[in-house]
Amino acid sequence: MPVYSMTGYASAQHSTASNAPDSDAKNQPPGQLGLEIRSVNSRFLDLSFRLPEDLRQFEPTLRELVSAKLKRGKVEVRASIEVASNTSVQDPSPKLLQRLNAVQDNVKAWLPQASALSVADVLRFAAAEQTGTRDWSASVMPLAEKALKELMAARQREGGKLSTMLLERLSQLRTLALQAVPLVPQLVAQQRQRFLDRWKEAMALTDGSTLPEAAQDRALTEATAFAIRIDVAEEITRLNSHLDEIERLIKKGGEIGKRLDFLIQELHREANTMGSKSAALELTHISVDMKVLIEQMREQVQNIE
């Protein structure tokens, strides 16, 4: 399965022409339905809709459609309707003229002094008729499916880039871990020899009351305690284990964002422990370099679904 980013954008438009079969729809000017879907990272799936009143009835169906495809992210669905303006004088339809005449007769029956409709009034009603409410029920869902498909493709492309970056950082972390492995034995050997040299110097200043064997044993005990204190083999083992799991998840794909986030926290913990145990400048540098790489990974993992 691919890795999906939570960041993406897609839009789709559907245009209608005045080619409807009934006379009322013929008088309507061309219109365009536009739909945009934007998504950014979020811990959970957070949906919001900005729809014109003519499309408000489609919100539950759109919510169900988006929820079936997306699992995480802050997602905004925005729709718009644009109707082309028509400045030419439109002939009133016979149906409109009949309706206006009936209404006028009814008003005259109750209000004999009321003014009759003028030609300008009739033309104004005709202009309002041509921009009346259009039925978008046959267009909204296919358009939403198209935009959602494009959004998924965009999120997949972005997820592929994130996967490549993460795998590169994993390789760099493995290299740093390999560099750290031989440093601890070298430090232990150096410190052991340092303890022995210091005890030999101390023995040369004593009056011989302390046995050389006891002094040497004491030095070796101190060296052993030092080796235990600075040993980072366990941290490196756990770090490599986390790196293996992260690589496995990336290659598996799917909904891996939350698990990757947890593993990144564990990587940071191991790198911190290595830094606190560091007894050499080289190991400190390796720990700092690791934390820089892990922080870069953490920022990108926040965008993975």
Side-chain angles (χ1 to χ4, degrees):
M1 293 180 64
V3 174
Y4 290 98
S5 169
M6 286 187 283
T7 303
Y9 171 82
S11 64
Q13 291 78 36
H14 175 72
S15 298
T16 58
S18 300
N19 54 4
D22 59 275
S23 59
D24 286 344
K26 284 182 178 180
N27 291 328
Q28 291 183 340
Q32 178 171 280
L33 171 63
L35 193 141
E36 296 180 349
I37 307 179
R38 307 170 187 265
S39 67
V40 295
N41 60 322
S42 177
R43 292 183 61 191
F44 308 101
L45 182 60
D46 181 9
L47 299 179
S48 63
F49 294 84
R50 296 190 177 184
L51 308 176
E53 287 301 321
D54 293 346
L55 304 180
R56 187 66 64 185
Q57 58 180 315
F58 299 103
E59 180 174 334
T61 310
L62 289 171
R63 183 179 296 274
E64 183 178 354
L65 176 66
V66 175
S67 300
K69 295 293 185 180
L70 308 181
K71 304 305 178 184
R72 291 180 66 200
K74 183 177 177 63
V75 182
E76 180 185 77
V77 179
R78 184 192 298 263
S80 62
I81 297 175
E82 295 181 4
V83 178
S85 61
N86 193 341
T87 58
S88 62
V89 177
Q90 298 295 317
D91 291 335
S93 65
K95 182 183 291 187
L96 175 63
L97 292 174
Q98 292 174 3
R99 194 160 60 243
L100 290 177
N101 188 53
V103 171
Q104 179 174 253
D105 291 343
N106 190 31
V107 172
K108 284 284 189 179
W110 288 90
L111 301 172
Q113 304 301 321
S115 300
L117 288 171
S118 65
V119 174
D121 293 332
V122 175
L123 292 178
R124 186 166 62 251
F125 281 113
E129 182 187 44
Q130 73 172 342
T131 57
T133 302
R134 184 186 295 271
D135 183 10
W136 297 99
S137 57
S139 306
V140 172
M141 297 313 298
L143 193 66
E145 292 175 357
K146 178 182 178 182
L148 188 57
K149 183 177 180 180
E150 293 181 2
L151 178 70
M152 294 292 292
R155 286 168 57 127
Q156 182 177 344
R157 289 192 299 270
E158 183 65 21
K161 295 177 182 178
L162 294 178
S163 298
T164 300
M165 187 281 292
L166 290 175
L167 291 175
E168 291 175 354
R169 299 299 185 273
L170 288 178
S171 178
Q172 296 173 20
L173 285 170
R174 293 186 193 278
T175 300
L176 291 173
L178 288 175
Q179 294 175 3
V181 169
L183 291 179
V184 174
Q186 294 175 9
L187 291 172
V188 172
Q190 294 173 3
Q191 190 66 15
R192 180 176 181 275
Q193 187 60 44
R194 189 177 299 115
F195 277 132
L196 290 174
D197 293 342
R198 288 175 59 188
W199 277 103
K200 288 179 181 179
E201 293 175 0
M203 288 299 300
L205 298 176
T206 62
D207 55 1
S209 59
T210 304
L211 296 177
E213 292 80 3
Q216 185 174 4
D217 290 342
R218 178 65 182 276
L220 293 176
T221 301
E222 293 290 339
T224 301
F226 173 79
I228 294 174
R229 190 167 63 252
I230 70 169
D231 186 18
V232 294
E234 185 176 351
E235 284 75 16
I236 293 177
T237 299
R238 286 198 297 263
L239 187 141
N240 282 322
S241 176
H242 297 328
L243 295 178
D244 291 340
E245 180 63 11
I246 291 174
E247 183 174 359
R248 185 190 71 82
L249 288 174
I250 293 174
K251 292 180 178 179
K252 175 186 174 184
E255 301 170 34
I256 61 175
K258 291 184 178 180
R259 282 178 286 180
L260 287 179
D261 187 50
F262 171 76
L263 290 170
I264 293 298
Q265 295 179 30
E266 294 300 306
L267 284 179
H268 198 272
R269 182 179 303 173
E270 303 303 338
N272 268 337
T273 304
M274 287 180 57
S276 64
K277 287 186 174 183
S278 175
L281 188 60
E282 295 90 341
L283 199 57
T284 300
H285 287 164
I286 289 176
S287 174
V288 171
D289 291 341
M290 281 185 172
K291 286 190 281 189
V292 170
L293 292 173
I294 293 170
E295 181 63 22
Q296 293 174 355
M297 293 174 66
R298 186 191 67 81
E299 293 177 356
Q300 299 306 322
V301 162
Q302 299 298 318
N303 293 318
I304 294 181
E305 185 176 53

